[in-house]
Amino acid sequence: MKKSILNKISIIPIMLTIQLMACGNSEMKSEETAKMADIIELQSDEIEILSKMYVNEERIQSGNLFSYQRDNLERYRYAKVYLLEKYPDYTMEIIYGEPKSKLMPQAEFTFVDKEGDGKNYTVYIYNSEDNNGYYAEDNFYEAIIADKYDECVQDALQQKVNNVEIVISTMPWPKGKEYDSNLKIEDITSGKVELSANTSIYIVDNIMTEDIFQNIVSEIKEIIYSNHFYGSFKVYAYDGTYSADILRKEELRPQNYLFKATFQNFRED
């Protein structure tokens, strides 16, 4: 009887040990499963972009990302879908990214139109107002509308001002989905869409004097204001030896202009 009791008592520690080992194995498996769940399957382009944004390339290639890397991966994925939906007739390629961080509240991705002139543009991925998602803005609309906008401004100026050789605008401010591939110059001139630009106006005249130039600038301001062209404006006067082809290319454009004036016209809400 005593032997039987002793045998039962000796079995209890063994059973407890087995149970503890089983629990330990179960916890290890749970941890391994959780760790595996954190591994993200990445496409080759995602690995390339993240590797340009962060230094730990081996970790990225394995898909074992930190939480902030996962967030910027989702922003990159959002940017790809956004560009595809907004510009379906263009072939966009994101070539670099600046991650959202403590110092920068949004992620910024540099992209090009693969069939365009190779100029770089930027898409910005922000937190949504409720912080449960993202929204985006970009400045590629410049490639769609800038030439038409410049022609429109130049036509308006040439009706009253002589010797307007060329008008060149840049549009660096990011805009949302309404500034898409369907954007038309009539949307801007009618006031339906608000657009601000950095516009340079080049006057070429062999008999330019400072008084003549100031009168021309006054006329230009009146035309800009009355036609609701918005942004920052620079007016340059050159002598008659410079053509539109030279002035159009920044690397060829001479700095020895005769006169220069600047002014602004921003839309009042």
Side-chain angles (χ1 to χ4, degrees), residues 106-122:
Q106 74 280 339
E108 301 179 2
F109 296 99
T110 302
F111 67 95
V112 296
D113 172 17
K114 293 175 68 174
E115 299 176 3
D117 60 3
K119 182 177 179 179
N120 290 350
Y121 298 91
T122 306

Side-chain angles (χ1 to χ4, degrees), residues 3-14:
K3 186 176 180 181
S4 176
I5 293 173
L6 289 172
N7 287 338
K8 290 181 178 179
I9 293 173
S10 64
I11 291 171
I12 291 173
I14 296 173

Side-chain angles (χ1 to χ4, degrees), residues 1 3 11-12 17 34-35 44 53 66 70 73-74 80 94 101 106 127 133 136 140-141 161 198 203 205 245 249 258:
M1 182 70 175
K3 186 176 180 181
I11 291 171
I12 291 173
T17 301
K35 187 175 182 180
S44 59
M53 296 165 74
F66 294 111
R70 290 198 298 270
L73 169 63
E74 291 305 317
K80 287 195 295 182
I94 295 176
S101 64
Q106 74 280 339
N127 284 346
F140 183 73
Y141 66 94
V161 179
N198 292 327
I203 309 294
D205 194 335
D245 288 338
K249 299 179 180 179
L258 300 174

